[in-house]
Amino acid sequence: LYVEASEKFRMDYCKLWKAMVLMDTDTVRDVCLSWGVADSEFFASMQLLKPYRPQKKAIHVANTTIDDILRMQMGLKERVKHLLHDTQLVPRELILLGRNMNIVRSCNKAMGSPVNRVAIMAYYANRGTYSLNPLLHHLNSPASTHISEHNHQVNDPWHQIKWKAAYTEVLFRAQLFFIKCAYYSTKVWQMLNSLFGHKSKNFEELLEEGIANTIEA
């Protein structure tokens, strides 16, 4: 089975991942609603396989507790029932892509998580949205070589858009750096445990086991 992803879906999927990293709840909600998904926070949690809590600090560097896992397990069945509000809006690409990402996640887990799946997805999602970046559009435009003096004024609309785009890019790269730090700290912890003959489970393994047990129950 295969399906060609439309340009609109590709861009929406890139915006979703970028928004999840930036904790941009409005964009996450807008993309999810356009796909017929009512519970955007739960949908984001399923994409990341981590509790998505935008009201707290960045999810990728937040400590995950046993209580977090138990809350997700207990509320899983009920939230799944209300996840979709309009199945007609669900893109066909999303169904196959979700299956594909699940295979990638399973292979990565089986091999001991040799790659930082979340960081890779986020990085290329950000690159995928470059065509929407007004700063890059301006720099690549022939008219950009004929900028008048008034365009450098602080109250110029383009000046504000340019700095907002630059700020978002810097913020994204900072979040990506923290994601990588969290990943490598986990790898170091696993290596230290293996030196003493202990095996440590990562959060991805614990959450998958919890979800499987809840569904079977």
Side-chain angles (χ1 to χ4, degrees):
L1 296 175
Y2 76 94
V3 62
E4 293 186 7
S6 65
E7 181 63 17
K8 183 181 183 305
F9 175 79
R10 185 191 71 80
M11 193 61 67
D12 285 345
Y13 195 70
C14 288
K15 288 195 295 184
L16 175 68
W17 269 88
K18 184 175 181 178
M20 288 191 297
V21 172
L22 293 173
M23 291 292 157
D24 184 355
T25 55
D26 290 338
T27 300
V28 171
R29 183 174 58 252
D30 291 343
V31 173
C32 288
L33 287 176
S34 69
W35 290 346
V37 178
D39 194 339
S40 58
E41 287 191 15
F42 183 64
F43 182 78
S45 296
M46 293 298 98
Q47 296 297 308
L48 295 167
L49 266 189
K50 294 178 75 68
Y52 180 75
R53 296 169 298 177
Q55 67 276 13
K56 296 188 178 182
K57 57 184 177 179
I59 191 63
H60 313 290
V61 295
N63 292 325
T64 302
T65 65
I66 297 298
D67 290 338
D68 291 330
I69 299 175
L70 292 176
R71 276 195 295 268
M72 286 196 68
Q73 291 178 10
M74 290 187 293
L76 180 64
K77 283 186 177 180
E78 190 63 28
R79 297 189 74 172
V80 166
K81 294 178 182 178
H82 304 287
L83 181 62
L84 301 177
H85 74 86
D86 191 346
T87 56
Q88 298 297 322
L89 295 176
V90 178
R92 293 179 300 171
E93 300 98 322
L94 184 62
I95 300 172
L96 292 182
L97 182 60
R99 176 60 178 167
N100 175 267
M101 291 308 302
N102 193 42
I103 294 174
V104 172
R105 183 169 50 241
S106 298
C107 291
N108 190 40
K109 186 192 74 170
M111 299 179 69
S113 299
V115 298
N116 190 344
R117 176 181 57 86
V118 174
I120 293 174
M121 288 294 295
Y123 172 77
Y124 282 101
N126 185 49
R127 289 189 59 179
T129 61
Y130 278 175
S131 61
L132 299 178
N133 192 319
L135 181 59
L136 296 178
H137 272 302
H138 182 77
L139 293 177
N140 294 329
S141 173
S144 64
T145 58
H146 305 287
I147 303 175
S148 58
E149 289 297 329
H150 75 277
N151 284 339
H152 294 284
Q153 297 176 1
V154 176
N155 59 351
D156 182 64
W158 163 244
H159 185 89
Q160 298 174 7
I161 294 174
K162 178 183 67 174
W163 284 108
K164 182 178 180 180
Y167 170 77
T168 301
E169 184 67 19
V170 171
L171 181 61
F172 177 86
R173 290 180 181 272
Q175 290 282 52
L176 194 62
F177 173 76
F178 289 130
I179 294 173
K180 292 179 179 180
C181 287
Y183 170 77
Y184 286 113
S185 63
T186 302
K187 296 294 289 184
V188 170
W189 176 250
Q190 290 176 338
M191 290 175 60
L192 291 175
N193 275 275
S194 64
L195 289 176
F196 292 97
H198 302 293
K199 183 180 179 181
S200 60
K201 286 187 176 182
N202 55 45
F203 173 77
E204 195 163 294
E205 292 175 323
L206 291 174
L207 187 56
E208 283 188 2
E209 289 179 1
I211 290 176
N213 293 335
T214 303
I215 294 176
E216 290 174 2

